[in-house]
Amino acid sequence: MLKGLNVIVHILTLGKERQSFIGARWVESILRMAPEKYKRQLALTVLSLSPHYFFRQNTPEHLSLSHAEFIEKEFERNSSSREKLCAQVLLPYLNDTQAVLDYGCGPGFLAKSVSRHVRKVYGVDLSKGVLECARIINGSSNTTYLHTTQLSEIEGGSLDLVYSFAVVQHVTDSVLKDILVAMHGKLKEGGKLIVHIVIDEEKWKIEKEWRRDISLRGRLKWKYGLNCFKRDGEDVRKMFESAGYTSVVIQPMKELCPEQYDDVQAQHLIHAVR
Ligand SMILES: C[S@@+](CC[C@H](N)C(=O)[O-])C[C@H]1O[C@@H](n2cnc3c(N)ncnc32)[C@H](O)[C@@H]1O
């Protein structure tokens, strides 16, 4: 019964674009109209409806928590893991004169940490609902959250750094190529691109295998579920080079963050220069 209800809520909150969880226009409108004193709790509740950000099942001690306790615990876990990612991975590339872009920023935890070290942050995502949550829980005076359709608001050749964590594994090759080209256009000459990628997760399938599964379950997962693709490192390198990037280097995340605090650490980073 509860599972059936969850599926209905999941489908009702989907946005127009593929993989746009909590992206429905009405989700954004309700968050905007909510009285100020309820906004934060409503935003955290909305985030708990997406498969991306808050996880109850993975953490046994979360199972016994009330909803209010669970969303606060997950808020703290996300804040702390993104603070560490900022300190361990991005900080060496940041300074207070820079404009940077967080691609697939989700609820803005990493954008908020980064905003303390740079002049300007753009957080870009394809879900209108999650962007509104980010504005509520992780807003700051030098951060602007934009939908992917609003990229024209960022001047071409104006960014020092574009980074993206836990995002490209959810997009197809054709979408990834478009993202790489779009970001190339926004970066300054010599600007840096840092992207987290999944290349060796044993149990994950590549995009071709997902497409090959034409069973009813496979097709429903493709259309409504969270898609997660692993990739071949060399193919990704070629994709970056074809989009115009140079000095493309793939590095295990473990070299930068040895302490395990999030699943992104078991993966790789790809560094490139415009
Ligand atoms: C797992 S979350 C990661 C959020 C954030 N980067 C972090 O590390 O905390 C993945 C995010 O990517 C966004 N996303 C997925 N496909 C996208 C696309 N094609 N363009 C922009 N954002 C996308 C999702 O809406 C979601 O917010």
Side-chain angles (χ1 to χ4, degrees):
M1 171 79 175
L2 197 59
K3 212 165 177 202
L5 195 63
N6 283 344
V7 172
I8 293 170
V9 171
H10 175 83
I11 292 177
L12 288 177
T13 53
L14 285 173
K16 275 195 239 133
E17 306 87 351
R18 254 181 66 70
Q19 297 290 288
S20 175
F21 304 105
I22 57 168
R25 250 263 136 83
W26 67 266
V27 175
E28 181 193 33
S29 304
I30 283 186
L31 285 161
R32 283 195 178 162
M33 286 180 323
E36 212 49 53
K37 66 175 180 177
Y38 298 122
K39 271 189 196 282
R40 182 172 181 281
Q41 223 190 358
L42 184 60
L44 297 183
T45 296
V46 166
L47 292 177
S48 73
L49 302 176
S50 165
H52 276 305
Y53 322 109
F54 289 4
F55 308 111
R56 201 189 263 272
Q57 305 301 337
N58 300 8
T59 326
E61 57 272 31
H62 278 14
L63 291 172
S64 58
L65 299 180
S66 68
H67 174 72
E69 290 167 333
F70 162 68
I71 56 178
E72 288 303 335
K73 273 260 184 270
E74 282 298 272
F75 175 86
E76 282 162 29
R77 182 187 62 77
N78 276 268
S79 297
S80 142
S81 81
R82 270 40 195 168
E83 190 63 43
K84 286 182 184 166
L85 270 186
C86 174
Q88 295 174 351
V89 180
L90 295 175
L91 204 51
Y93 305 102
L94 307 179
N95 72 57
D96 60 11
T97 65
Q98 291 175 329
V100 309
L101 188 149
D102 181 330
Y103 196 90
C105 62
F109 291 101
L110 189 52
K112 178 74 179 271
S113 299
V114 167
S115 72
R116 298 186 186 106
H117 307 282
V118 298
R119 176 175 57 80
K120 176 79 196 172
V121 180
Y122 294 98
V124 172
D125 203 282
L126 115 150
S127 162
K128 292 198 165 103
V130 83
L131 286 166
E132 199 51 36
C133 292
R135 290 180 192 111
I136 294 169
I137 62 172
N138 281 316
S140 71
S141 58
N142 62 346
T143 304
T144 302
Y145 290 107
L146 296 172
H147 188 249
T148 41
T149 53
Q150 297 175 301
L151 277 177
S152 59
E153 292 187 20
I154 304 170
E155 206 186 316
S158 66
L159 300 176
D160 299 279
L161 169 71
V162 173
Y163 63 85
S164 183
F165 283 84
V167 179
V168 306
Q169 69 254 37
H170 303 302
V171 308
T172 59
D173 279 352
S174 118
V175 172
L176 178 54
K177 280 176 196 161
D178 290 347
I179 294 172
L180 292 176
V181 170
M183 293 303 105
H184 193 270
K186 299 297 176 190
L187 278 167
K188 289 178 180 165
E189 195 78 44
K192 206 162 169 54
L193 176 66
I194 299 181
V195 178
H196 159 250
I197 51 165
V198 174
I199 56 179
D200 58 1
E201 196 68 62
E202 252 179 49
K203 290 185 190 141
W204 286 33
K205 293 187 280 186
I206 58 171
E207 182 184 335
K208 251 190 206 151
E209 292 169 304
W210 273 76
R211 287 184 182 274
R212 231 181 269 142
D213 183 356
I214 51 163
S215 65
L216 179 61
R217 188 161 180 271
R219 277 182 290 165
L220 289 174
K221 266 180 80 181
W222 176 263
K223 194 157 172 44
Y224 301 113
L226 180 64
N227 297 177
C228 297
F229 313 119
K230 70 172 170 187
R231 292 190 155 84
D232 176 81
E234 274 320 296
D235 289 350
V236 181
R237 181 196 300 281
K238 280 183 205 141
M239 218 187 265
F240 275 58
E241 287 168 351
S242 309
Y245 295 90
T246 57
S247 312
V248 180
V249 174
I250 300 178
Q251 177 185 34
M253 287 278 291
K254 272 195 212 113
E255 284 180 12
L256 299 162
C257 0
E259 169 212 357
Q260 179 73 37
Y261 52 81
D262 192 278
D263 54 1
V264 298
Q265 286 159 270
Q267 287 305 325
H268 287 76
L269 275 189
I270 183 152
H271 301 253
V273 174
R274 191 221 139 135

